[in-house]
């Protein structure tokens, strides 16, 4: 009986730690999703606010690829400098 009782106690402790680990993974996933949505929203709002600037660059003779690379580099460089 002692062994059966100890098994039951061990199983209960294992499932509690698994439940805690699952909760941690769920919370971490939610935080990462929220952060990703925030970053995408910030970059899209910054780009939408600069449409006139991009149009002016095109009128000044910049190629379409150059105009597209500029905001991409502006998003990548600050992210890399903080690592």
């Amino acid at each position: 009986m002692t062994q059966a009782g100890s098994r039951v106690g061990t199983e209960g402790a294992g499932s509690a730690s698994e439940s805690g680990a699952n909760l941690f993974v769920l919370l971490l996933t939610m935080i990462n999703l929220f952060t990703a949505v925030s970053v995408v929203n910030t970059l899209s709002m910054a780009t939408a606010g600069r449409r006139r600037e991009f149009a002016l660059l095109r009128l000044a003779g910049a190629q379409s690829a150059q105009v597209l690379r500029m905001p991409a580099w502006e998003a990548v460089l600050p992210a890399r400098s903080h690592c």
Side-chain angles (χ1 to χ4, degrees), residues 1-16:
M1 275 218 125
T2 310
Q3 291 176 344
S6 65
R7 274 191 218 146
V8 171
T10 307
E11 288 175 8
S15 66

Side-chain angles (χ1 to χ4, degrees), residues 2-79:
T2 310
Q3 291 176 344
S6 65
R7 274 191 218 146
V8 171
T10 307
E11 288 175 8
S15 66
S17 66
E18 275 185 36
S19 176
N22 290 340
L23 180 62
F24 177 73
V25 169
L26 176 67
L27 289 174
L28 194 61
T29 302
M30 289 174 59
I31 290 170
N32 285 336
L33 286 173
F34 177 78
T35 303
V37 168
S38 298
V39 168
V40 168
N41 184 37
T42 301
L43 291 175
S44 65
M45 292 299 291
T47 303
R50 295 175 59 191
R51 282 189 187 169
R52 292 179 125 193
E53 180 182 340
F54 296 147
L56 184 61
L57 285 169
R58 290 285 292 143
L59 286 173
Q63 294 177 355
S64 156
Q66 291 173 321
V67 174
L68 290 174
R69 275 194 308 257
M70 186 179 67
W73 277 108
E74 289 174 359
V76 168
L77 288 177

